[in-house]
Every structure is written in C-alpha cells, then in structure tokens.
Amino acid sequence: ILILIPIIIMAYWLKSQVTTPEASSVLMCFQYFDSTFLFCALLFYTLHNIGINAKPWMKILLYGLAFIHMMIVCLCFNTGLYYSSIEVTESPMGNYTSVKGGPLMILHYAYLAILLAIIVVLIVLCIRKRGSYSMTNIAVYLAVPIACFAVYIAEGLVGGHYTMLPVLYTVADVII
C-alpha cells in the first residue's frame, strides 16, 4: 500500500505535465493501479484485520481480475476500444486530459461495481462479526476506497477536468 500510493500520485502529477495524448494514455495505465491492486491490497488487509483469512483461490481470483483489468487497459489504450478519444489541454494549473469512453469502458465500470459490492459485504461482515479488532482501524482502511468511489462518482457527474484523487491518496498514505 505504501509503495502503490506514491506511484499512483506520481502518475497523476506526471499526467498534468505531459502534452501528448499518447503520454497521457500511458500514465493513465499507472493511475489504474488505484482501482486494481491498491483496492485489492486494502480489501485483503481488512479481511486479515477482522480475522478472516482469505483463501489462496480468493487472492488469485481478485488479483487475477485486477491483472486482467490492467492488461485490457494497457493493451487497448491506443486502439480506441477503451478510450474513443483522448485530448490534452493546457491550462495555468497544469494540463488536463479529457477522455471519452470506448466500448470496453463498460468493463471498468463492471469491475468497479464488483469492488463496491465486495466493500459493502466487508462492511456488513465487520458490523455482524464484532470481533476483537479495532473498528477505528477497519473504518480507516475501508474509508479510503469508499472515499475514492465517492470522489470518482462526484467528479464524473460534475464533469470536472481536475481530480481530487491524488489529494485523497496523499492523506490516505499519511494515515496508513
């Protein structure tokens, strides 16, 4: 977790500095580490904290799904299948990238829906189990993905060009 968050933050920062759509596309692949491997690590850590040992097949399944998601993004970023168009616009605050989703973008939303469902199940398990673990600790680790989902949805609805996710990741990194 402490390694992934700085990589993700660096990708967001570098994306604000590049001037070509191709470079921005490559950096977006690194940004997808947040919704793939970072969330998987947070979920498995939360399971461990509440006393549920994830079976090896569960880890293989979730990390495999994350890897497949990353491969789809990385292999399709320049084909128009994942993003139909990518445009980099300069501004005084740094460059921002405008993207329009392609036909495979639905896979990203399906993947996020699966992760959100897993988070809801984890919250229910934490409330029902009430073990010897600290609920504050669990709340902190579950707050990161929940806050990321909230910011992601809000920014999508508003249609903003700048994202607050790097700020959220920095705060999460300090807390963790």
Side-chain angles (χ1 to χ4, degrees):
I1 293 171
L2 295 175
I3 294 170
L4 284 174
I5 290 177
I7 291 170
I8 296 164
I9 293 169
M10 185 66 84
Y12 275 102
W13 176 76
L14 284 173
K15 195 175 89 170
S16 72
Q17 304 302 310
V18 298
T19 57
T20 63
E22 294 79 17
S24 184
S25 299
V26 170
L27 290 168
M28 281 193 285
C29 292
F30 285 99
Q31 288 175 334
Y32 275 96
F33 280 5
D34 65 355
S35 62
T36 54
F37 300 111
L38 176 64
F39 281 180
C40 289
L42 286 170
L43 294 175
F44 285 124
Y45 184 76
T46 305
L47 281 173
H48 175 72
N49 271 349
I50 64 174
I52 298 173
N53 292 325
K55 306 281 188 245
W57 66 267
M58 294 167 103
K59 290 182 180 181
I60 291 170
L61 179 69
L62 198 55
Y63 280 119
L65 189 60
F67 180 75
I68 290 169
H69 182 247
M70 283 296 301
M71 289 308 296
I72 290 171
V73 171
C74 292
L75 294 175
C76 296
F77 76 87
N78 205 17
T79 62
L81 291 173
Y82 205 77
Y83 294 118
S84 62
S85 70
I86 299 172
E87 188 177 302
V88 177
T89 306
E90 292 184 36
S91 76
M93 290 178 56
N95 301 336
Y96 63 87
T97 304
S98 300
V99 295
K100 292 183 182 168
L104 290 181
M105 190 64 162
I106 192 73
L107 295 175
H108 177 65
Y109 296 119
Y111 178 78
L112 289 178
I114 291 169
L115 283 180
L116 193 56
I118 291 171
I119 290 170
V120 169
V121 168
L122 269 178
I123 291 171
V124 170
L125 279 174
C126 290
I127 292 170
R128 294 182 99 203
K129 192 169 177 174
R130 291 191 191 145
S132 60
Y133 51 85
S134 166
M135 281 301 283
T136 305
N137 196 16
I138 300 299
V140 167
Y141 279 94
L142 286 177
V144 174
I146 291 170
C148 290
F149 276 112
V151 168
Y152 190 74
I153 291 168
E155 288 174 352
L157 293 174
V158 173
H161 295 295
Y162 297 101
T163 182
M164 293 303 295
L165 285 173
V167 174
L168 181 64
Y169 292 140
T170 303
V171 170
D173 203 25
V174 169
I175 290 171
I176 291 170

